[in-house]
Amino acid sequence: MMTPVERLFAVLDETARILQEELQCTYLEAVAETGENLFHGDVLQDEVSELNAKRLKKQYRELGLEQFQNEHIRKAFQLAVLKGMRQHVQPNHQMTPDAVSVFLAYLVRQFTRPHLALTILDPAVGTANLLTAVLNGLGGRQAKSYGVDVDDLLVKLAYVNANLQQHPVQLFNQDSLRPLFVEPADVVVCDLPVGYYPDDANASRFVLKAKEGRSYAHHLLIEQSLRYTKDGGYLFFLIPNTLFSSPQAEQLNEFLKETAIVQGLLQLPLSIFKHEQAAKSIFILQKKGPMAKAPKQVLLAELPRFSNKTAMQAMMAKIDAWIAGEKGR
């Protein structure tokens, strides 16, 4: 017996392969096309032969998308995208590991419990896997959400992914470090793309521009995110473990002291990364504001392996107790 995720992935995969051949495109582009077809329950591409159009429509109809939960859809779509990325690797085509996305969704839910409705921004949205995991984890609370990415294929995949899960995400295909046309957010979530930012002229608008040489894109993205966060709003970043030992770390530290309150730093298990130098942590900030208070003690922890359920439950109980203690002050 196939699980719902396996059934949905099987259909996405088979129909994407048919479209890849018919449209002479990459598998990743075909995933976006078949996802759009599945959402509309039809074949939208005129180039597809009549015979294959019939085959595709039959598969979409028999699948019955409405019977799947959002998390089934997100995970199956993620598997198809991952398959496509392995065949068509680009440095900016990296996806947040699934267990990390789900854990981040839990953190956002716990930190924002008093909010009945939220505005959420992901300034490096990619395929919207992280953003939709967070939206799925809100437990029915209303959310207005925005995603920004410079890569047009990733934005198309994000659009299809959000549509299939019925999340009305507003997406912008642009450089995230240019002025954004979004409302100030209650929450920012972002798996920070790490590297140098090539546009020195635009970097010069930022406090965190390099004193000499190229600026770090991930530093500028932290500053940009704070610009578009409400006073007292929370920011959840996936950061490289080397963030505070890099050459421009002192400048970043000074900037954060003035603009934000560090709430937590949670080191992800090394087992989920191929190389130790690729390891990341979850960095939780709160933008300064009249109602924002520094915690008595910053939430610091090394997370156990996500597969170790007992240890993870114990860790989540500690985090819940910490949040309850801080909110109760």
Side-chain angles (χ1 to χ4, degrees), residues 213-232:
R214 282 269 150 93
S215 302
Y216 283 136
H218 44 297
H219 286 200
L220 301 184
L221 208 45
I222 290 172
E223 182 177 338
Q224 179 80 324
S225 298
L226 279 158
R227 274 183 193 171
Y228 289 92
T229 305
K230 292 177 187 175
D231 286 354

Side-chain angles (χ1 to χ4, degrees), residues 52-320:
N52 272 334
K54 276 185 181 167
R55 281 174 67 196
L56 291 167
K57 281 181 194 174
K58 184 171 185 281
Q59 293 227 46
Y60 299 143
R61 190 173 59 250
E62 286 176 355
L63 182 68
L65 185 66
E66 65 287 341
Q67 67 182 295
F68 291 90
Q69 294 170 15
N70 272 1
E71 277 294 272
H72 296 151
I73 296 168
R74 183 185 69 77
K75 287 177 179 179
F77 194 78
Q78 178 195 29
L79 287 173
V81 169
L82 280 170
K83 179 178 173 179
M85 285 181 178
R86 286 193 191 106
Q87 297 173 8
H88 182 78
V89 175
Q90 277 180 243
N92 57 336
H93 287 190
Q94 297 294 330
M95 197 180 279
T96 310
D98 196 58
V100 177
S101 296
V102 172
F103 186 74
L104 250 160
Y106 148 77
L107 288 173
V108 171
R109 182 172 68 247
Q110 296 304 82
F111 270 85
T112 62
R113 277 223 177 270
H115 293 258
L116 297 174
L118 291 167
T119 304
I120 302 176
L121 167 66
D122 185 341
V125 74
T127 62
N129 183 56
L130 174 59
L131 180 58
T132 56
V134 168
L135 292 171
N136 290 341
L138 287 177
R141 278 185 287 169
Q142 281 188 312
K144 188 183 277 192
S145 53
Y146 300 97
V148 187
D149 207 286
V150 75
D151 186 307
D152 55 349
L153 176 56
L154 296 187
V155 169
K156 182 164 188 189
L157 287 161
Y159 167 76
V160 172
N161 193 11
N163 272 352
L164 289 171
Q165 297 178 62
Q166 300 189 332
H167 289 306
V169 179
Q170 275 187 264
L171 293 161
F172 299 88
N173 184 195
Q174 67 161 93
D175 178 349
S176 307
L177 295 170
R178 296 266 167 201
L180 304 179
F181 301 99
V182 303
E183 284 179 42
D186 297 295
V187 170
V188 170
V189 292
C190 188
D191 187 345
L192 290 173
V194 176
Y196 290 106
Y197 183 56
D199 188 340
D200 294 338
N202 190 44
S204 68
R205 301 188 307 113
F206 290 83
V207 176
L208 288 175
K209 65 181 179 288
K211 291 188 170 80
E212 51 187 54
R214 282 269 150 93
S215 302
Y216 283 136
H218 44 297
H219 286 200
L220 301 184
L221 208 45
I222 290 172
E223 182 177 338
Q224 179 80 324
S225 298
L226 279 158
R227 274 183 193 171
Y228 289 92
T229 305
K230 292 177 187 175
D231 286 354
Y234 288 101
L235 303 95
F236 300 82
F237 293 118
L238 276 173
I239 60 163
N241 285 355
T242 54
L243 186 72
F244 297 108
S245 57
S246 66
Q248 296 169 32
E250 197 180 326
Q251 202 180 342
L252 177 64
N253 271 323
E254 287 304 313
F255 173 77
L256 290 177
K257 270 182 205 163
E258 287 182 22
T259 55
I261 296 163
V262 176
Q263 293 283 345
L265 185 64
L266 305 172
Q267 193 175 316
L268 292 166
L270 294 177
S271 57
I272 61 174
F273 302 100
K274 278 184 185 167
H275 312 289
E276 197 171 321
Q277 55 267 42
K280 294 187 178 186
S281 296
I282 297 169
F283 189 35
I284 306 164
L285 294 174
Q286 186 176 24
K287 185 172 176 177
K288 284 190 173 174
M291 306 300 287
K293 283 191 297 192
K296 273 191 296 191
Q297 199 173 356
V298 173
L299 177 63
L300 296 172
E302 274 186 45
L303 297 178
R305 284 172 180 260
F306 288 109
S307 55
N308 185 339
K309 288 201 172 136
T310 311
M312 273 311 293
Q313 281 168 347
M315 177 57 70
M316 286 159 85
K318 276 184 192 169
I319 293 169
D320 290 348

